[in-house]
Amino acid sequence: MFSDESFDAVGFPSCWKTERELQDEGIQTTVTSYSEQESQSSVSKCVETQTDNVQPELMMAENVDYDKLAAFLSCICPKVITELDKMSRSRAFDGYEPIEDDADGGVRKLHTLQVPNITSQSKMKVSSLSWSCTGAVVAFACSHSEHESWCDHSGNVHLFNINRQDFSDSAPSKTLETRSCVTSLSAHPYEPSILAAGTFSGEVLIWNLQKDDDCLISSSANVPGAHRDAVSQVSWVRNLDPTQQWPVLVSAGHDGRVLVWQIGTHSGTIQLREGFVILLEHIKYTGPGKSVPSPVGGAGIDMELGVTCFSFTAQDLTTFVVGVDGGGLLLCSTVAAKPAPVSVHSEVPLKDPVLNAFEKHQGAVTCIQCSLHHKNMFISCGTDSEIRIYHTEQVTPVQIIYVEGGVVGLEWSLAHPDLFAAWGTISGCVDFYNLWTGKVIPSLKLPAFDKPTLISIVRSNPHSHQLVGVGDMNGRVVVWQQPSYKDDK
């Protein structure tokens, strides 16, 4: 039934494999060109010098009478021995420790400047203070601390030259009179004889102190487009036009205007070169759950928002920061400004310079200072007792320092780029803070006066950076000398 069978192998071709076809091709790229070039450095030359081998000449005493020398020593020696014995028994220098020449002591009070007719009962405060560019003259304005409405007082600016031989801390070298209280002073950065001021009545004044009779050379009283309300700050700024080297004067007022003035310091001319206005729409009030327009506005209210302070950045003179009524902080630009609405009344065209708004203070902004050394950084303070450190590219503060007792003013230290002064506390002291740590430097602290009173203004000497002028609410200015400071980091 079953048997073994063998069959031949059967094969069949694959249905999925095919024979590959190969073909050779060749291409030629373009010929690469090469170029060689040699260079030779400038010819150098070596020169050697050799000093002469001079042997020092020994001075030998000649023709010395040793007998006379011995007689002199025999005569004087007993007297010298007697005096040395007295000194060895003396107790005059017990406990004395010599001070090293390079040792640096603490804070020293150099001068207390006060005009005799100003007392604490007269309610006169130092409203502004400025040093001349040479650091020799300190000018300060004494103004009434209270104004119910319009100012009907006369103002005074006193100048003391602390380097003069006949200097007296109670007799100013010159006194300037104004028709209303002075709110701000600014000495010219290059001309020591030029002084600018802003007044409560809205005037911008320029004095040339070299003139003996009438020092006032310019006034904005009759200039169209000038301030219509109190001037809050005047400051000399490097010219916004890079082709011009002479500085311009910038003023700000409670009428919401920031004005740029071209001053002829020799001719006495004053010209309004450019004007900016801060509008109410740029500040918002954060209410419960939503943001609504600022409550300081409303029907029948002016569109302008009062400017309390400003500061231009040192690295970009077209950018500046302003503090306004209601606690707002606004970033502004002179080149990116747009025309103001036609509803803003002005004799000259005004521009709206606002670019952005920072997180606002909960109280009025009292001071803004842009850093001279740190790009895009500025500090501000307000009546909310806060010191805020901002970066212009960030709307929220980088750091907030709460000051117990309040703070009304700030000033960058000219001697130390990372330090700034703060004042206004009830203790009457001036504290210096480290920018990065936010801590007070105890060795630089300026103590309170004999009777502690509120500090109104602090300014560093632009020539001698360790000298600081401090004005108070009683019409006094104290010039302090600070010790040198070395950062630990």
Side-chain angles (χ1 to χ4, degrees):
M1 177 182 292
F2 297 100
S3 61
D4 294 331
E5 293 289 340
S6 295
F7 298 97
D8 296 333
V10 178
F12 54 89
S14 173
C15 64
W16 62 275
K17 276 188 177 180
T18 59
E19 185 178 356
R20 296 182 180 179
E21 296 181 357
L22 301 177
Q23 184 178 357
D24 294 333
E25 294 287 344
I27 60 173
Q28 176 64 45
T29 60
T30 58
V31 179
T32 305
S33 60
Y34 297 91
S35 176
E36 295 184 0
Q37 188 174 3
E38 296 181 355
S39 63
Q40 177 64 37
S41 60
S42 58
V43 178
S44 61
K45 185 178 181 181
C46 297
V47 178
E48 296 181 356
T49 60
Q50 177 64 44
T51 60
D52 295 333
N53 187 12
V54 179
Q55 296 293 335
E57 297 181 359
L58 300 178
M59 298 182 63
M60 303 298 294
E62 299 179 358
N63 300 325
V64 178
D65 192 339
Y66 290 99
D67 295 336
K68 290 184 178 181
L69 177 61
F72 170 77
L73 294 177
S74 300
C75 177
I76 199 66
C77 186
K79 297 180 181 180
V80 173
I81 296 291
T82 301
E83 293 300 325
L84 291 176
D85 290 341
K86 289 182 182 180
M87 290 297 300
S88 64
R89 295 189 298 268
S90 175
R91 303 179 61 87
F93 294 96
D94 289 353
Y96 171 74
E97 296 182 359
I99 301 176
E100 300 290 339
D101 292 338
D102 57 349
D104 203 351
V107 175
R108 293 174 52 202
K109 182 192 292 187
L110 300 182
H111 310 290
T112 301
L113 312 178
Q114 186 173 22
V115 181
N117 59 357
I118 298 178
T119 61
S120 58
Q121 288 76 20
S122 61
K123 296 182 179 180
M124 297 286 285
K125 69 174 182 178
V126 179
S127 58
S128 188
L129 185 150
S130 184
W131 292 89
S132 65
C133 60
T134 59
V137 177
V138 54
F140 64 91
C142 291
S143 304
H144 286 261
S145 56
E146 297 179 359
H147 290 91
E148 296 182 357
S149 57
W150 195 248
C151 177
D152 55 359
H153 314 109
S154 60
N156 293 304
V157 178
H158 306 288
L159 296 98
F160 289 82
N161 191 330
I162 61 176
N163 290 346
R164 290 181 57 171
Q165 294 182 351
D166 58 348
F167 165 74
S168 173
D169 56 8
S170 60
S173 57
K174 188 183 288 288
T175 298
L176 309 173
E177 296 184 356
T178 59
R179 292 180 290 184
S180 61
C181 291
V182 175
T183 55
S184 180
L185 289 174
S186 182
H188 197 281
Y190 310 132
E191 292 281 350
S193 61
I194 302 300
L195 180 65
T199 67
F200 198 91
S201 61
E203 281 187 279
V204 174
L205 306 174
I206 310 295
W207 290 286
N208 187 341
L209 305 178
Q210 289 182 340
K211 295 188 175 183
D212 296 331
D213 45 1
D214 188 8
C215 297
L216 184 64
I217 60 174
S218 301
S219 173
S220 66
N222 299 322
V223 178
H227 290 288
R228 300 175 299 173
D229 207 336
V231 176
S232 55
Q233 182 181 341
V234 293
S235 180
W236 294 96
V237 179
R238 281 187 301 163
N239 206 306
L240 308 182
D241 185 357
T243 61
Q244 302 293 329
Q245 296 183 351
W246 203 248
V248 295
L249 183 68
V250 180
S251 63
H254 292 284
D255 54 359
R257 302 184 182 191
V258 178
L259 305 180
V260 180
W261 303 90
Q262 190 74 45
I263 307 297
T265 55
H266 299 287
S267 61
T269 58
I270 180 171
Q271 180 183 1
L272 181 57
R273 200 174 94 174
E274 199 169 12
F276 305 95
V277 61
I278 308 300
L279 301 178
L280 188 64
E281 62 187 32
H282 294 300
I283 185 171
K284 299 293 182 180
Y285 167 72
T286 304
K290 61 178 181 179
S291 294
V292 297
S294 171
V296 299
I301 303 298
D302 291 340
M303 297 179 61
E304 297 89 344
L305 196 60
V307 178
T308 58
C309 50
F310 68 89
S311 181
F312 279 76
T313 59
Q315 295 77 20
D316 182 9
L317 294 178
T318 64
T319 303
F320 62 101
V321 183
V322 298
V324 295
D325 292 337
L329 295 169
L330 304 175
L331 179 66
C332 303
S333 172
T334 59
V335 295
K338 55 183 179 295
V342 294
S343 55
V344 178
H345 175 70
S346 176
E347 295 84 353
V348 296
L350 297 176
K351 299 178 182 179
D352 181 3
V354 177
L355 297 178
N356 197 7
F358 300 97
E359 185 177 299
K360 61 192 290 292
H361 282 270
Q362 298 305 314
V365 181
T366 55
C367 186
I368 294 175
Q369 289 287 332
C370 290
S371 174
L372 298 175
H373 302 90
H374 304 292
K375 186 177 180 181
N376 298 332
M377 187 167 289
F378 70 94
I379 52 180
S380 66
C381 67
T383 55
D384 54 1
S385 302
E386 288 183 351
I387 299 174
R388 296 190 173 193
I389 302 173
Y390 285 90
H391 195 279
T392 55
E393 297 180 357
Q394 180 179 329
V395 296
T396 57
V398 178
Q399 184 178 5
I400 298 178
I401 304 173
Y402 179 78
V403 182
E404 186 176 358
V407 57
V408 298
L410 303 170
E411 171 83 354
W412 287 101
S413 172
L414 298 179
H416 312 288
D418 295 337
L419 303 183
F420 62 88
W423 64 90
T425 61
I426 57 177
S427 64
C429 301
V430 179
D431 294 316
F432 282 79
Y433 288 82
N434 187 296
L435 173 66
W436 308 112
T437 64
K439 296 182 179 180
V440 176
I441 310 299
S443 61
L444 300 179
K445 184 175 183 177
L446 303 182
F449 297 156
D450 299 334
K451 294 182 179 180
T453 183
L454 291 177
I455 302 300
S456 58
I457 189 72
V458 174
R459 289 292 181 265
S460 299
N461 191 307
H463 189 266
S464 302
H465 295 168
Q466 290 183 321
L467 298 185
V468 181
V470 180
D472 70 353
M473 299 295 290
N474 290 336
R476 295 177 298 180
V477 171
V478 174
V479 179
W480 298 90
Q481 183 179 23
Q482 290 182 302
S484 59
Y485 169 76
K486 295 182 180 179
D487 199 348
D488 295 334
K489 67 178 182 177

